[in-house]
Structure formats: structure tokens, C-alpha cells
Amino acid sequence: QPQGSANALALSLDRALISGGTLRYVDHGAGTDLRITDVSLDLQWPEYRGQADFSGALTYGARPLEISGKVADLAGLIEGEITGLSARVSGAGGSLQFDGRVGSQPQAQGQLRADLPKTATFLAAFGLGPVSIPRGLGQAAQLSTDLTFTTAGMLSLRDLTVTLDQNALRGAADLNLAAETPYLT
């Protein structure tokens, strides 16, 4: 092989299945032990520079979550490119849907929607609970927004519409997550 030539990964999977898996991440510096159980994944990626379809489930908090979606160019994403993503996370209490573009840097731009008929139940699936939400502040919640997350740690929400029980809010927000103290505008 000539000196300086690239050796690109060329992998495709007709189908990869994981069932009954467990992921564990121990951060000794922070003193945390993250455990994700009941992991299942069905990944179909028939062409290296093609679309990958995925579906699966996992338990992170008190209740299981189901995931599904499509990555327009999984090889590109692995190699650091920005590519299309459509993903859905659902569980007891509601669902999240993202349609847009993502990069592994991390960065994202697209439409985010949430439909949470039972917000507290959905949050418990992410290990956030038990939560008691007062009526009017989102016992049931819906959200729709154009989302942008940059590699600089800026989260921007435009055309934001939020319904919290009988209350509705519209607007925009910017959250600087890179600052020493996160800053919301």
C-alpha cells in the first residue's frame, strides 16, 4: 500500500441482533455507576454508504424505553460526517421524536416533538423520579421546536410551542451549556 493512503472502514451488516444485554459505565472520578439493562437492538445496515434502520429497547430508569429510527448514512456518521436521522423514543407516559441531521461531534439540527400524556411516568424511564408535577405545569405536556445543538455547546430552540396541561407557551430559547454556569436566554 502506498505511503499516505487511507484505509477506510468498509463494514455492512445485513442484520445485527442484541438481546438481554447490560451496559455499565463506572466513573470513579465522579463516583457514579450507570447501569442500563434489558438492552435489545436490531440493526440492519446492508450497504456501507447506505441507510441503517434500528429498533430496540432498554431500561435506564424505572420503566423500559423503546427506540427506533433510521440513519441516512451510518458510515458517514461513524467517520464524523453530518447525516440525516429520524429517531423515536417511547415508553410508558409518552414519546419523543427527532427528525433532522446529526453529527458525532456532537451536533444536531432538526425538528423535535414530544407528546407526554403522563410526564412523570415518562421521566421515570430516564431515572428522573419520582416527580410530582402540579396541574398547569405539565402533568401532560406537548412540545414542538426547531432544535440546533452546536459543537460549542449552544442549544437553540426556535418556533418553540409548549403545552403544559391547559397552558400554552410560544417563543424561542438559547441555552449555553459550555459556560461555567449554564446560561438561558
Side-chain angles (χ1 to χ4, degrees):
Q1 178 175 357
Q3 201 169 20
S5 66
N7 214 3
L9 173 69
L11 172 70
S12 64
L13 299 170
D14 285 336
R15 189 170 190 192
L17 293 171
I18 296 173
S19 61
T22 298
L23 297 173
R24 184 176 180 208
Y25 177 75
V26 178
D27 184 338
H28 295 289
T32 58
D33 185 350
L34 171 68
R35 185 179 302 265
I36 300 172
T37 61
D38 303 322
V39 176
S40 66
L41 178 68
D42 184 348
L43 173 69
Q44 297 181 38
W45 183 23
E47 293 180 38
Y48 179 66
R49 278 287 174 191
Q51 176 175 294
D53 299 325
F54 62 91
S55 63
L58 57 88
T59 301
Y60 172 67
R63 299 184 179 259
L65 292 166
E66 294 180 6
I67 58 171
S68 62
K70 299 175 185 305
V71 179
D73 182 359
L74 183 56
L77 184 63
I78 291 169
E79 294 171 3
E81 298 173 13
I82 297 171
T83 190
L85 171 71
S86 175
R88 180 179 174 83
V89 177
S90 58
S95 65
L96 297 173
Q97 174 78 34
F98 177 81
D99 293 294
R101 297 171 49 81
V102 298
S104 58
Q105 289 72 21
Q107 58 193 39
Q109 187 282 319
Q111 180 71 31
L112 177 66
R113 290 180 302 283
D115 184 13
L116 309 174
K118 296 181 179 179
T119 306
T121 303
F122 189 73
L123 292 175
F126 288 93
L128 304 171
V131 178
S132 178
I133 302 171
R135 176 93 177 120
L137 293 180
Q139 290 178 355
Q142 292 182 322
L143 174 137
S144 176
T145 188
D146 291 327
L147 173 145
T148 302
F149 182 74
T150 69
T151 57
M154 289 293 300
L155 175 65
S156 297
L157 306 176
R158 297 292 179 266
D159 297 324
L160 176 64
T161 302
V162 179
T163 303
L164 305 172
D165 301 317
Q166 74 280 7
N167 299 311
L169 307 166
R170 295 183 189 273
D174 291 310
L175 179 59
N176 182 348
L177 297 169
E180 187 174 320
T181 302
Y183 186 78
L184 178 65
T185 305

